[in-house]
C-alpha cells in the first residue's frame, strides 16, 4: 500500500463543523455504542465528514477527535489507513471510482479508465479543469457479477460500456447526475441473469402459495418452528 498523507496545508480549510443534518446523524451513530465506547463511531463520523465536504480535511479529523474525546493521532491513523477516505480535494460533482479487480478487468474496466483519462484527467486523483470531476482505480466494489462497474459517491453503476460511462460522466458534469439510475445499465434486475430469469418464473406458483401464506400468518402458523 502506498503512503497516504493529508493534503497540503495550502488547500486545507481553517475549520470544520457538521451541518445540522450531519450533526444529527453523528449523534445517532455515537448513541449506537455503549457508554465509554463512543470512539467506535470514528469511521462513521469520518464518512459523514467526507459526505459533507467531499473529502476528509485536517480540520474534520480534529473535530471528530474532539467529539469522541479521542487522541487526534488515532483519528488520523484511521483516516490514512482506509482507502475509502479521500485525503485530498476531489471533483465537486463526481469522484468516479473504477473497479480494477480481476472480474471487472476481464470485462473491460481498462477501457472505462481510458474514458476517465480522456474526459476527466490523464492521472488519477487530479480534477478536471473546472474542479468538478476526478477519478481513481479501486479494488473490488462488490458487484462482480455485473462487471465492469464504477461507484460515484454511494451509488454503483454496473454493466458498463465505455459509451455508457461517457454518458454518465457528462450527466454529472452537467449537474444532472440524479437523472442517472444507479445499478445495472442494461435492463438487468439487480444480479439476475442478463438474458432474463431462468427459474421461479411461473407466476401461478406464487399466486397459489400467497393465500396459504396469508392464512398461516393470520393463524400464527408461520411462527411455529420444527
Amino acid at each position: 500500500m502506498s503512503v497516504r498523507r493529508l493534503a497540503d496545508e495550502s488547500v486545507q480549510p481553517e475549520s470544520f463543523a457538521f451541518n445540522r443534518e450531519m450533526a444529527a446523524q453523528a449523534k445517532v451513530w455515537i448513541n449506537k455504542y455503549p457508554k465509554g465506547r463512543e470512539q467506535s463511531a470514528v469511521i462513521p463520523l469520518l464518512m459523514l465528514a467526507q459526505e459533507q465536504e467531499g473529502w476528509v480535511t485536517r480540520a474534520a479529523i480534529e473535530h471528530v477527535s474532539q467529539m469522541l474525546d479521542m487522541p487526534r493521532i488515532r483519528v488520523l491513523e484511521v483516516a490514512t489507513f482506509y482507502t475509502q477516505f479521500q485525503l485530498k480535494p476531489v471533483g465537486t460533482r463526481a469522484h468516479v471510482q473504477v473497479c480494477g479487480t480481476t472480474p471487472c478487468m476481464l470485462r473491460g474496466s481498462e477501457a472505462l479508465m481510458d474514458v476517465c483519462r480522456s474526459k476527466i484527467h490523464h492521472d488519477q486523483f487530479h480534477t478536471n479543469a473546472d474542479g468538478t470531476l476526478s477519478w481513481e482505480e479501486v479494488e473490488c466494489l462488490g458487484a462482480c457479477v455485473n462487471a465492469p462497474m464504477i461507484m460515484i459517491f454511494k451509488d454503483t453503476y454496473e454493466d458498463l460500456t465505455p459509451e455508457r460511462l461517457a454518458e454518465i460522466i457528462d450527466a454529472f458534469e452537467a449537474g444532472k447526475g440524479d437523472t442517472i439510475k444507479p445499478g445495472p445499465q442494461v435492463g438487468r434486475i439487480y444480479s439476475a441473469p442478463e438474458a432474463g430469469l431462468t427459474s421461479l418464473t411461473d407466476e401461478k406458483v406464487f399466486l397459489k402459495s400467497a393465500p396459504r401464506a396469508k392464512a398461516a400468518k393470520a393463524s400464527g402458523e408461520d411462527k411455529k418452528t420444527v
Side-chain angles (χ1 to χ4, degrees), residues 47-96:
M47 289 301 293
L48 290 175
Q50 177 165 282
E51 184 175 349
Q52 177 177 309
E53 301 293 296
W55 59 295
V56 177
T57 66
R58 182 186 299 278
I61 289 174
E62 294 173 351
H63 185 74
V64 169
S65 72
Q66 293 172 2
M67 288 185 68
L68 299 178
D69 191 23
M70 189 173 181
R72 278 183 288 178
I73 185 61
R74 292 191 59 197
V75 182
L76 179 63
E77 288 171 347
V78 173
T80 55
F81 179 81
Y82 292 103
T83 56
Q84 76 259 36
F85 295 124
Q86 302 297 330
L87 303 181
K88 297 180 180 179
V90 296
T92 56
R93 292 182 180 172
H95 179 66
V96 182

Side-chain angles (χ1 to χ4, degrees), residues 18-218:
F18 283 117
N19 59 34
R20 181 176 299 180
E21 178 185 355
M22 294 302 182
Q25 292 188 43
K27 185 176 180 180
V28 170
W29 277 105
I30 293 173
N31 289 338
K32 287 178 181 286
Y33 300 97
K35 186 175 179 58
R37 299 288 184 177
E38 294 86 354
Q39 294 181 2
S40 297
V42 60
I43 290 179
L45 263 60
L46 286 173
M47 289 301 293
L48 290 175
Q50 177 165 282
E51 184 175 349
Q52 177 177 309
E53 301 293 296
W55 59 295
V56 177
T57 66
R58 182 186 299 278
I61 289 174
E62 294 173 351
H63 185 74
V64 169
S65 72
Q66 293 172 2
M67 288 185 68
L68 299 178
D69 191 23
M70 189 173 181
R72 278 183 288 178
I73 185 61
R74 292 191 59 197
V75 182
L76 179 63
E77 288 171 347
V78 173
T80 55
F81 179 81
Y82 292 103
T83 56
Q84 76 259 36
F85 295 124
Q86 302 297 330
L87 303 181
K88 297 180 180 179
V90 296
T92 56
R93 292 182 180 172
H95 179 66
V96 182
Q97 295 181 306
V98 185
C99 180
T101 307
T102 305
C104 281
M105 189 63 72
L106 291 173
R107 293 279 290 170
S109 64
E110 186 61 44
L112 301 186
M113 286 183 253
D114 285 339
V115 172
C116 293
R117 293 184 183 103
S118 64
K119 295 188 73 69
I120 301 175
H121 194 284
H122 181 270
D123 298 320
Q124 301 181 52
F125 302 107
H126 287 74
T127 63
N128 60 350
D130 295 329
T132 55
L133 301 172
S134 57
W135 74 281
E136 67 172 308
E137 178 184 356
V138 298
E139 292 301 313
C140 185
L141 290 170
C144 306
V145 70
N146 296 351
M149 53 86 66
I150 66 167
M151 177 178 282
I152 300 177
F153 303 122
K154 293 181 178 179
D155 293 320
T156 60
Y157 301 84
E158 306 149 23
D159 292 306
L160 290 171
T161 62
E163 294 76 18
R164 182 54 179 160
L165 176 57
E167 293 173 353
I168 293 173
I169 291 175
D170 287 342
F172 275 92
E173 169 66 357
K176 298 179 180 180
D178 57 352
T179 65
I180 305 296
K181 184 179 179 180
Q185 301 295 300
V186 294
R188 182 205 303 260
I189 301 175
Y190 300 115
S191 296
E194 188 171 345
L197 299 176
T198 58
S199 60
L200 300 178
T201 59
D202 188 353
E203 292 186 3
K204 295 179 181 179
V205 174
F206 303 105
L207 293 176
K208 289 180 179 179
S209 62
R212 292 198 299 269
K214 184 176 181 180
K217 184 175 182 180

